[in-house]
Amino acid sequence: MVKKEFSTKSGFLHFPIFASLPEEANYIKVAVSGEVKNIFAINIAKNRAQTTFYAPLDIKRYGTEKITLICDDEDATENLFDLVIEGGSVFEEKELYPDLYKEEIRQQVHFSPARGWMNDPNGLVFVNNEFNMYFQHNAFSNHSFGYPNIGWGLAKTKDGIHFKEYGDKILTDDTKFSIASGSAIIDKNNIAGFGKNAILAYCSKLYCRQFKGRQNATSGGGQNLYYSLDGGMTFTPYENNPVIPVPEKMEWRDPKILQLDEKTLGIAVYETFEDKNCISIYKSYDAKNWEFCSRNFDFYECPDLFKLKVKNSDEEVWALYGANGVCYIGTFDNFVFKPVGESCFVDYGICVYAGQTFNNFGDNEKRIYTAWLCDWEHDGWKFDENEPHRKFGFSQSMAIFTEFTIVKTESGYKLLRAPIEALKTLRGDKREVGLQNVKAEAPCEIAFTLKKGIDAKIRVDSVGFDYIGDEHKIISTTSRQGEIISDGEIEVRIIVDNRTTEIYVANEMVLSFNGKKENVTVQADYELKGEYYPLKSIWENI
C-alpha cells in the first residue's frame, strides 16, 4: 500500500498524467478521516519527463483541507504520489496549464472542458436564470474507454454562449460502474419529498472494464436517483437506488425525466425487448417507485421526450427522438407516445449525437437544445499512442445552443432548429466577401442569402448541401434531405471553428460536421456576396 496525506488551503491537487492505456492506470482512493470518498483510475506519470499534461482534483468537494491518497495496487511504487502538486485552480497554476483555452485544437466558440474527456450532455436544467449543463466527463484522461472515472461534470451559462466550469458533481461510489447519461428536473411540487425545488437527477450506472484483478460486473447498475438541495451544486444519492433496476446482462440506460402535472412524473429509458432497441416509458407519483407503461421501437440511446405548443396555434404536440437525432412528432396520452406522420432529423450533418433539451426553461413554444459534437478525427474512446492530439489534456466539445420550435404545414408537423440570438454577440467587424473559395479562419461566421427556386451548391471543403430550387429543399452531403418551410429567400449562416463546422439554413435546419474546414464555396447561376465576421472567443475573459 502507498499512502500520502495532503493538506492544502489552496483547494486543488494537480496530478501529472501520462497519456497511456487504461489498464496501465492505478486505482487511487481519496480518503477523508479514514473514510474512502472516491476511487479513480489515474495514469500518474512516474517522472516529469513522462508527464503528458496535468489534471486537477478539487479538494473543496470533500469539505476539508486534508485528504489522503491511497493505492493498494501491487505495482504501485513508493514514490507514486511524489509528483502530485498542491495548488490553486487551473487558472492560477499557469505553469502547469500553459495556453489554457488557447491550444491549437481548442474550439473557440464551443464549450469544452478545461481538462478531461467529454461526451453526452446530461441533466440539462434551467435553474435560477442559468442553464445548468452537466456532461459526461473523465477528469483525469483525454480518452474514455475503460475508466470508472466517468461522472457528471457541470458548466453553467446565463447567455448560452459563455460558460463557467464547476467540476464534477455526480461520481460513482463503486469502480465497477461509471455514471452514465441521464436528465434532471426541478421538483417544484416536492413530489419526491426531499423539499420544494429540489433538483432530481436520474442517471444510469454502467459497468466498466476492470483491471488489476478486479471482478467485472455482469449487468448495468440500473437507473439511479440523486437529489440536490442547493441548486445542483452538490448531489446526494437516494438510499434505495436503483429506482429502476435492469435484468442480468443488460445495460438499459439514459433516463429522460419529465413532469406531466403537479403529482405525476414520466421517464423514458433506452432498453431492449426481444432483441430490439426501444424507448420504454415509466410513470411515478413519488419520483422513487416507477411503473412500466409502454414501448416505442427503433430508438437507440439517450431519448428526449417533450411537449411544445405549435407555433401560431393553440395545439400542443410531443417530440421523441434518440441519440442519432431521428425525431417523430406525435401524441402522448396515458403514457403512450404515438407518432403522427413521417420522421424528421434533428441535424442533417454527421457529428451531432446524444442531444438533449433543457427542462424547466419555461417557454412552451421552444426548447433549448445542445448535443455532443463527436470529433472522430480525435477518437477518444480508445487510446492510440500515435494519435497526434494525445498530448492535449482534453477532448471533444458541445454543440452551440439552438432553439427547437414546431410548426404545422400542409405535409404535417415539422421540428425546426435555429441558433440562439446570443450567437450574434460574438461577431466582430463585418466585411463583404465573394463566395468563391473564401478562406475561413476559425473562428468565423460567413452569412449569405440564396434566392428561392434557383439551384445552389454550398460546400465547406467537401461537406455542405445542395439547394434544389424547384422542390425548395436541401440535400446534405450526408444524403439527409429536408424541405424548407419558409417562403422567400433562404438565409444561410456558416460557423467555422477549429474542429467543427455548423451550417444553419433558414432558421429551420442545422448541418454539423467534424474536422477542421477552411474553404467555403457557393455556386449558383447568379452573383452572390456574403458577410464575413471574425468571431470573438468565448474564452476571452475567462
Side-chain angles (χ1 to χ4, degrees), residues 144-158:
S144 171
F145 189 66
Y147 287 96
N149 307 339
I150 295 287
W152 283 20
L154 170 62
K156 292 188 178 189
T157 175
K158 291 183 178 180

Side-chain angles (χ1 to χ4, degrees), residues 455-476:
D455 291 357
K457 181 178 180 179
I458 292 81
R459 292 291 185 273
V460 187
D461 288 353
S462 61
V463 303
F465 69 93
D466 294 340
Y467 170 60
I468 312 302
D470 58 356
E471 298 179 57
H472 201 42
K473 73 177 183 181
I474 70 160
I475 300 177
S476 168

Side-chain angles (χ1 to χ4, degrees), residues 282-301:
Y282 294 78
K283 67 178 177 181
S284 177
Y285 301 103
D286 64 0
K288 304 165 184 172
N289 297 284
W290 292 87
E291 178 185 345
F292 170 79
C293 296
S294 65
R295 292 186 182 92
N296 289 85
F297 289 95
D298 297 324
F299 289 92
Y300 181 73
E301 291 192 332

